[in-house]
Amino acid sequence: MGLFDWISGQFIDVIEWTDSSHDTMVHRFNREGNEIKYGAKLTVRESQVAVFVNEGVIADILEPGIYELETKNLPILTTLQHWDHGFNSPFKAEVYFLNTKRFTNLKWGTKNPIMVRDPEFAMVRLRAFGTYEIRIDDAKTFLNEIVGTDGHFTTDEIEMQLTNLILSKFATILGKDTTPALDLAANYEQFGTFMTEHIAPAFQEYGLELIRILVENISLPQEVEKALDTRSSRAISGNLDEHLKYQSAQALGNAQGGAISDMVGMAAGMAMGQQMAQSMQPSTHTHTPPPLPQQIAQYFIARNQQQEGPYSLEQIQTFIAQKQMTQETLVWTQGMAQWESAKEVLAQFFTQTPPPLP
C-alpha cells in the first residue's frame, strides 16, 4: 500500500450508533469539528433513522441500511454543498440517530384526586395510574419540536410533559364517563383503548405515536375504601347477632390467652371453689320454697277514642275514685271477646245507691 492510499484511508469514516440503554431516544454522532469525509460509511440499523443537519437545516433523513456518503446518495445535501474536494473535508454536518423502537413501561398517574359524579356515590374523588407506550413516528417533527440541539435525548426529558398531556385528557374523559366507580375495574381495557384514541392526536403534534395506554388501577379515597370494607365484611358475616356471639366466643376461648380469658378463668375457678366449699359444709336449716307467682290482671281502657293501658287493678281503682273513669268507659282484659262498659266488668268498684223505701 502506498503512502497516498494510507492517507486516503485515514479520511474514510465509519458512522454508526449502537444503544445499550433503554431510554435513549436521540443520539448525536460525535465527530471532531463535525467533519464528514467523502466516501464515509454510514450504517443505519433497524429501529433507527439517521438525520443529517447542515448549518441548522435538516438535509436528509436516511432509513435503515448501509450508505456510502457520495453525491448520488445525498442529492438534497448536494444542493447545499459542493462535493469537489476528493478525500478532503468537503462539508461539515451533524448526524443524529433517532431510536424508532417502542418505548414501554412509561408511568402516568394522577397527582391529586379527580372529583367526578357517580351514579351510586353521588360525588366521589378518584385516583388512577398506569403505563403507556410510545415511539418516534415523524423524525423531522420530533427533532424540530422537542429535541433541538440536544446531543443525548432520553425519555426522562419528555416523560413529564407526556404525562401531563395524558392527565389533562384523562380528567375530561373520566368526567364524561357515566360508568359507576365500582364497575370501572371491569372496564380497564376498554377505558384504556378509549383514552388512547382520544389522546393520540396530542402526541402526534410532537412527532410521536401513542401506541397504548394501560390503566392499572382506579382507586377510591382511603375513607371510602374503609367504609366499603366494613360494609362488605358485615355482608359476609351474615346474621349480625350470631357473628357477635362467635366473635365473643373466639375472644374468650383464645388459646394464646390474654387479659379477658385470664379474668374469665379466674372467675370460673372462684365459682367452682365456692360450690365445693358449700357442698362440704353440713346443712344447718331447711329452705322453704318461695310462694307461687300470681298473675296480675291487666286492663285496657278507651278514653277520647284512644286505647290506654295496660293498667293494674289498683290503678283502675284510682281512676274510678278520681272520676277519671265512668261506668260507661269501655274496658278490656285478657279473656274477653270484646270491649264492655266498666259497670259490667268492674261493677264492684262503683258505689251503688240503695233502692227507695217501700
Side-chain angles (χ1 to χ4, degrees):
M1 178 184 294
L3 179 61
F4 183 84
D5 294 335
W6 179 83
I7 296 176
S8 299
Q10 303 310 304
F11 291 99
I12 301 299
D13 286 342
V14 177
I15 303 175
E16 62 179 356
W17 173 60
T18 56
D19 180 27
S20 59
S21 68
H22 300 285
D23 60 351
T24 302
M25 302 183 74
V26 178
H27 172 76
R28 184 174 59 209
F29 184 79
N30 293 321
R31 181 65 174 149
E32 185 177 357
N34 296 326
E35 294 182 349
I36 304 298
K37 310 305 179 182
Y38 186 87
K41 300 293 184 180
L42 172 65
T43 301
V44 183
R45 290 174 169 81
E46 294 291 341
S47 75
Q48 292 180 352
V49 294
V51 178
F52 278 81
V53 177
N54 179 256
E55 297 182 357
V57 179
I58 294 180
D60 266 313
I61 299 178
L62 301 180
E63 300 293 332
I66 298 177
Y67 301 88
E68 185 174 353
L69 301 184
E70 297 175 351
T71 54
K72 62 181 181 181
N73 294 333
L74 300 175
I76 299 178
L77 191 58
T78 305
T79 62
L80 302 178
Q81 296 286 344
H82 295 287
W83 293 54
D84 54 0
H85 301 287
F87 61 84
N88 294 319
S89 299
F91 69 98
K92 294 182 179 181
E94 298 174 338
V95 180
Y96 288 86
F97 286 93
L98 276 67
N99 202 341
T100 58
K101 72 172 186 179
R102 181 180 302 193
F103 293 92
T104 62
N105 201 33
L106 301 177
K107 308 294 185 180
W108 69 272
T110 54
K111 300 177 182 177
N112 299 302
I114 300 174
M115 180 72 72
V116 296
R117 296 185 182 276
D118 187 80
E120 296 183 0
F121 302 119
M123 291 183 295
V124 67
R125 293 180 298 125
L126 297 178
R127 289 182 177 272
F129 64 87
T131 60
Y132 62 97
E133 302 174 5
I134 62 172
R135 66 182 167 200
I136 299 175
D137 182 56
D138 188 336
K140 183 176 181 180
T141 302
F142 185 70
L143 203 62
N144 287 335
E145 299 292 336
I146 303 299
V147 179
T149 59
D150 192 342
H152 186 78
F153 191 88
T154 63
T155 55
D156 294 339
E157 300 180 55
I158 195 174
E159 188 173 1
M160 183 62 69
Q161 177 63 20
L162 298 181
T163 300
N164 291 336
L165 281 177
I166 294 176
L167 294 180
S168 63
K169 298 292 184 181
F170 173 78
T172 303
I173 295 173
L174 189 63
K176 294 180 180 179
D177 189 71
T178 58
T179 304
L182 297 182
D183 295 335
L184 287 175
N187 297 277
Y188 280 176
E189 184 176 356
Q190 293 85 346
F191 198 66
T193 302
F194 185 77
M195 288 176 56
T196 303
E197 294 175 354
H198 286 73
I199 300 177
F203 279 63
Q204 292 176 357
E205 297 179 3
Y206 296 155
L208 296 172
E209 177 187 1
L210 177 60
I211 301 173
R212 183 183 295 112
I213 292 180
L214 300 178
V215 180
E216 295 184 9
N217 185 44
I218 299 178
S219 60
L220 297 167
Q222 293 184 356
E223 297 80 4
V224 179
E225 290 181 349
K226 290 181 180 179
L228 289 175
D229 291 342
T230 303
R231 179 179 176 181
S232 60
S233 299
R234 187 167 62 248
I236 293 174
S237 63
N239 185 283
L240 182 60
D241 182 60
E242 295 296 330
H243 181 66
L244 291 175
K245 291 180 180 179
Y246 172 76
Q247 293 283 13
S248 300
Q250 288 292 99
L252 294 176
N254 189 353
Q256 295 180 356
I260 296 179
S261 59
D262 292 345
M263 293 175 62
V264 172
M266 291 174 61
M270 293 175 64
M272 292 179 62
Q274 291 178 357
Q275 291 180 359
M276 293 177 62
Q278 291 176 1
S279 63
M280 295 175 65
Q281 293 179 357
S283 177
T284 56
H285 58 82
T286 60
H287 296 279
T288 58
L292 293 174
Q294 298 181 357
Q295 185 174 3
I296 301 175
Q298 301 288 328
Y299 295 87
F300 293 85
I301 64 176
R303 289 193 293 190
N304 299 325
Q305 302 298 324
Q306 299 290 332
Q307 172 183 313
E308 297 181 6
Y311 299 117
S312 64
L313 197 58
E314 289 77 14
Q315 291 175 308
I316 293 295
Q317 189 173 3
T318 301
F319 292 158
I320 295 175
Q322 296 178 355
K323 305 299 183 181
Q324 297 181 13
M325 287 181 58
T326 66
Q327 296 182 15
E328 303 303 326
T329 302
L330 295 178
V331 178
W332 182 90
T333 186
Q334 187 175 3
M336 296 176 58
Q338 60 185 2
W339 292 77
E340 296 182 8
S341 62
K343 67 181 179 180
E344 299 293 337
V345 181
L346 304 168
Q348 69 271 24
F349 295 105
F350 291 95
T351 303
Q352 298 182 358
T353 59
L357 293 174

